[in-house]
Amino acid sequence: MLRIILLGPPGAGKGTQASRISEKYNIPHISTGDIFRKNVKEETALGLKVKEYMNKGSLVPDDLTIQLIEDRLSADDCKNGFLLDGFPRTVYQAEQFDKYLSERNLSIDHVLDIDVKKEELLTRLIGRRVCRNCGATYHVINMPPEKEGVCDVCGGELYQRADDTEATVENRIEVYLAQTKPLIDYYEKSGVISHIDGATGLENVFNDIVDVLGA
Ligand code: ADP
Ligand code: ADP
Ligand code: ZN
């Protein structure tokens, strides 16, 4: 049983590591960003509400986000743990989430804070490419696919996220510093946080995470 929160700025490698953690520990990878993007793509009522916030690189309102995560966590596959990627992102979300957990006698086992410095984040985000079909993530230089523009996993088309442009990326990093970074202190108090250097290469980062979670 593992309940994990991945914390860190946009581009730190949360999604990349989450896929591997999810596979090794057999817990669902729950990315609020992925769920919001799916809703935008399918033009659902939720998607129409969140699209503008996402394109600007602002946060989606807390109430929508908390509702979404509570619905998702009520699914059967979360009974034996979960891996949250991109939630919580504000102190208010974290407080509401703590209430949700304590009402159910649950608690978080690990908060993994992955850190990378700003210049590297910009390079990573602007070079990020994502598979339209399966969501696998690549980087034009750091992790290129075998064939340009084509997903190694499923053959799907790779695209650049609407919010991975230079102007929006700067704003997302500002939003992270102002609204999400305070969560490091918040979780420091509960003693469940571990700090991971996200700039050491994919394998090393994963090994550091496994050292924290246990093999
Ligand atoms: P996040 O989910 O935190 O926004 P991603 O996992 O999508 O970040 O990674 C952002 C970009 O950086 C992607 O293009 C990814 O391929 C690349 N990347 C991820 N981890 C590393 C790493 N350890 N070293 C170099 N590039 C990385
Ligand atoms: P990244 O990890 O690359 O920064 P995500 O895919 O996690 O990006 O998030 C993309 C966008 O989705 C965010 O910029 C924000 O608009 C929205 N979003 C995702 N998770 C949350 C959240 N917990 N609270 C508010 N907005 C969110
Ligand atoms: Zn794919």
Side-chain angles (χ1 to χ4, degrees), residues 59-60 62 66 88-95 179-180 183 187:
L59 294 182
V60 168
D62 283 335
I66 292 162
R89 240 174 164 107
T90 63
V91 171
Y92 182 75
Q93 289 178 16
E95 288 168 349
Q179 304 200 54
T180 308
L183 288 178
Y187 286 114

Side-chain angles (χ1 to χ4, degrees), residues 1-107:
M1 170 78 71
L2 272 176
R3 297 190 194 87
I4 305 170
I5 292 173
L6 283 182
L7 206 61
K14 300 182 298 297
T16 302
Q17 296 298 331
S19 306
R20 311 193 56 178
I21 299 168
S22 165
E23 196 179 324
K24 177 169 170 71
Y25 296 95
N26 200 20
I27 46 176
H29 168 200
I30 300 173
S31 157
T32 40
D34 285 350
I35 301 173
F36 284 138
R37 271 185 295 280
K38 183 163 186 282
N39 278 273
V40 170
K41 185 175 163 196
E42 293 171 358
E43 300 182 330
T44 67
L46 176 66
L48 296 175
K49 281 188 205 155
V50 304
K51 185 174 177 177
E52 289 308 312
Y53 297 104
M54 295 181 77
N55 283 346
K56 281 187 301 199
S58 315
L59 294 182
V60 168
D62 283 335
D63 54 338
L64 288 177
T65 307
I66 292 162
Q67 186 61 54
L68 176 93
I69 210 81
E70 293 190 359
D71 288 348
R72 178 64 187 86
L73 292 180
S74 68
D76 268 352
D77 66 336
C78 298
K79 294 261 182 302
N80 294 318
F82 49 76
L83 173 63
L84 297 180
D85 163 12
F87 179 90
R89 240 174 164 107
T90 63
V91 171
Y92 182 75
Q93 289 178 16
E95 288 168 349
Q96 295 303 113
F97 186 47
D98 273 346
K99 267 189 213 157
Y100 170 92
L101 292 170
S102 65
E103 281 164 14
R104 288 160 183 77
N105 275 320
L106 303 175
S107 58

